[in-house]
Amino acid sequence: MGQKKLIADQFHGDKRVTRAKALLKEALRDHKRLLKSERSPNLALQKKYEALIKEIGVLRGRSLVHPYLASGIGKGALVELLDGSVKYDFITGIGVHFLGHSSEKLLSAGIDAALEDTVMQGHLQQSESTVKLLRALISAASKSGACLAHCFLSSSGAMANENALKIIFQKKAPASRVLAFGGCFAGRTLATAQITDKAAYREGLPKTLEVDYVPFFNPEHPSESTTIAVQALEAHLANHPNQYAAMCFELIQGEGGYYPGERNFFTPLMKILKERGICIWVDEIQTFGRTSELFAFQYYSLDSFVDVVTSGKMLHACATLFSGEYNPKPGLLSQTFTASTSAIHAALAILKELSSGGYFGEKGKIERYSKRMTNHLSVMSKRHLDLIRGPFGFGIMTGFTVLDGSLEKTNLFLSGLFKSG
């Protein structure tokens, strides 16, 4: 008779494994209790720490933005560094660590990942965890009517955007130009650096794409800025007929300053693009999970327009979702590593938390946290007109400008904050 149960199931259900998991969670809880607030560095550890900071700068060829080397434990917004200091993490690794430091849910996910037979999932060898993640992402992205039938995983947001470009260009060949919003950020690869509207990020790089920009939404002049954007789009289309493969939509600008758009701004642009057969690609690398809906395109009710959507950051395993119409030919997409097994398990845990934790909707956690942050920042801004401007943004993509907004003064301010915990 054949074996009724997989050996893997027997292993994962082994009493020793179950007991080990329980002990690890118990130990984590006990040690997290010691992290109660920010803390100054331990003088006995500081000299070694400074040497490590200097060494990593040499090894990388450039210093770290902040002298941050984690010890390996934290508690929500608190994180311990190797110098014994404890800091509040207000940037979450540029929007990655949504569940905080030393999350028990992610510990469990990491243990389950470590129990699998390979550290990395790849083009030729994947596991059931990949199937579960693809199923969950497609279901979540399509729940309000978006025709997103397929999903391809990748190990970074930049690679998710690269895959989006390849899918789009193959479908729309020989069209080779791309449209994007001024101030956008799409990544730092050879292709995505051309889309990113920051010349410093492509200094010395060969030109790989022809990109034309449309002005982004201006909340102070909504109607006028919509008219200006439509006119700019139509002018580009007239100047380069049949040459545009796609327009990249950052619905809430990230690096451009945390500026949200509006549905009434996006829909006229998308209607024109649909009429011309130009792909509508929504870059949700940063916006995923940060509005009162899982995807920002769902918050703006743009489901009927989207053709390709990219997501990443807080998801941990990055993804390119696309409609059946854009399903590429064999050979176009192939990666040695589509993601690590731990990233896939983490993504499943994060999706589960987001879907069942009361985060979305008008009374969800994201809306409540957003109001709390923006209300306090607004009070500070009114009280200190010469020190703070803002807040800017939407949902839990919230920021503000300090002093005169110059790089020099902002960096001094951030350095002071870091030293203060």
Side-chain angles (χ1 to χ4, degrees):
M1 282 182 67
Q3 205 169 274
K4 291 183 179 179
K5 203 171 184 182
L6 289 170
I7 296 170
D9 292 334
Q10 296 173 49
F11 170 47
H12 295 160
D14 189 297
K15 290 180 180 178
R16 292 167 293 180
V17 171
T18 305
R19 179 63 181 149
K21 283 182 178 181
L23 285 170
L24 284 168
K25 289 179 185 177
E26 184 182 310
L28 179 63
R29 282 187 217 117
D30 287 345
H31 291 282
K32 281 171 67 174
R33 289 191 189 105
L34 301 174
L35 295 166
K36 296 176 181 177
S37 66
E38 76 278 9
R39 189 171 65 208
S40 299
N42 183 325
L43 294 176
L45 299 172
Q46 215 163 358
K47 192 172 181 181
K48 181 183 176 183
Y49 189 75
E50 288 170 0
L52 283 172
I53 292 293
K54 188 175 180 180
E55 182 183 7
I56 195 171
V58 172
L59 295 171
R60 294 172 78 241
R62 66 203 64 252
S63 300
L64 297 171
V65 175
H66 296 294
Y68 178 113
L69 288 172
S71 70
I73 194 167
K75 181 184 178 183
L78 293 170
V79 57
E80 183 186 61
L81 303 189
L82 281 171
D83 64 358
S85 67
V86 176
K87 310 286 189 189
Y88 277 106
D89 179 5
F90 270 46
I91 57 170
T92 63
I94 318 182
V96 176
H97 311 304
F98 183 71
L99 300 188
H101 293 269
S102 296
S103 160
E104 197 171 306
K105 291 181 174 70
L106 293 187
L107 173 67
S108 294
I111 295 168
D112 289 338
L115 294 175
E116 287 207 32
D117 61 312
T118 59
V119 172
M120 304 296 290
Q121 306 276 329
H123 184 60
L124 298 177
Q125 295 181 319
Q126 295 181 335
S127 73
E128 187 182 9
S129 56
T130 297
V131 180
K132 290 178 179 177
L133 180 56
L134 295 176
R135 186 191 298 144
L137 280 171
I138 292 168
S139 174
S142 305
K143 72 166 189 173
S144 301
C147 296
L148 297 168
H150 308 291
C151 179
F152 195 88
L153 298 181
S154 52
S155 54
S156 75
M159 198 63 230
N161 280 347
E162 283 278 340
N163 286 335
L165 284 167
K166 290 198 291 183
I167 289 167
I168 293 163
F169 281 132
Q170 186 181 77
K171 171 68 179 174
K172 295 299 180 181
S176 60
R177 297 181 82 94
V178 173
L179 291 151
F181 287 122
C184 75
F185 180 87
R188 298 175 196 260
T189 63
L190 278 173
T192 57
Q194 297 296 328
I195 299 173
T196 296
D197 189 18
K198 199 158 187 177
Y201 292 173
R202 51 178 179 269
E203 186 178 346
L205 301 182
K207 196 163 191 175
T208 54
L209 287 178
E210 292 289 348
V211 183
D212 295 300
Y213 297 101
V214 173
F216 194 66
F217 179 69
N218 182 346
E220 294 180 5
H221 305 284
S223 253
E224 184 183 342
S225 70
T226 302
T227 301
I228 290 169
V230 166
Q231 288 173 345
L233 174 61
E234 289 179 331
H236 288 316
L237 296 176
N239 287 336
H240 306 286
N242 304 315
Q243 292 184 42
Y244 290 106
M247 180 164 177
C248 178
F249 281 81
E250 226 183 355
L251 302 177
I252 302 172
Q253 293 209 314
E255 186 150 325
Y258 276 11
Y259 295 115
E262 286 186 357
R263 175 177 164 76
N264 289 339
F265 171 76
F266 296 125
T267 49
L269 299 171
M270 290 185 172
K271 284 178 181 177
I272 293 168
L273 295 165
K274 279 290 184 187
E275 288 167 5
R276 303 292 186 96
I278 296 167
C279 177
I280 294 172
W281 159 31
V282 180
D283 177 352
E284 298 236 18
I285 302 299
Q286 189 161 175
T287 50
F288 175 84
R290 287 192 163 79
T291 69
S292 54
E293 293 288 344
L294 185 62
F295 290 90
F297 76 78
Q298 293 171 333
Y299 168 76
Y300 288 112
S301 300
L302 300 170
D303 306 74
S304 62
F305 292 104
V306 298
D307 297 306
V308 177
V309 176
T310 47
S311 64
K313 285 196 183 288
M314 96 156 57
L315 183 64
H316 285 33
C318 302
T320 308
L321 295 119
F322 46 97
S323 68
E325 183 187 353
Y326 282 83
N327 197 8
K329 296 173 184 176
L332 187 75
L333 301 182
S334 176
Q335 293 172 201
T336 303
F337 300 137
T338 47
S340 68
T341 305
S342 58
I344 291 167
H345 278 268
L348 285 165
I350 290 162
L351 278 174
K352 183 178 179 181
E353 171 67 13
L354 287 170
S355 62
S356 62
Y359 287 87
F360 303 118
E362 290 182 9
K363 296 181 180 179
K365 289 180 183 177
I366 288 175
E367 191 69 22
R368 296 203 309 273
Y369 294 163
S370 175
K371 284 178 181 175
R372 181 178 176 84
M373 180 71 95
T374 54
N375 287 345
H376 281 293
L377 285 171
S378 294
V379 170
M380 291 168 68
S381 179
K382 288 171 186 173
R383 190 181 299 159
H384 305 288
L385 294 171
D386 56 333
L387 300 178
I388 292 176
R389 282 180 284 131
F392 308 106
F394 177 78
I396 48 174
M397 289 176 70
T398 304
F400 58 97
T401 300
V402 295
L403 305 171
D404 63 0
S406 69
L407 183 63
E408 182 184 4
K409 288 188 177 180
T410 302
N411 281 338
L412 283 171
F413 174 77
L414 291 173
S415 179
L417 280 182
F418 188 82
K419 288 174 184 174
S420 301

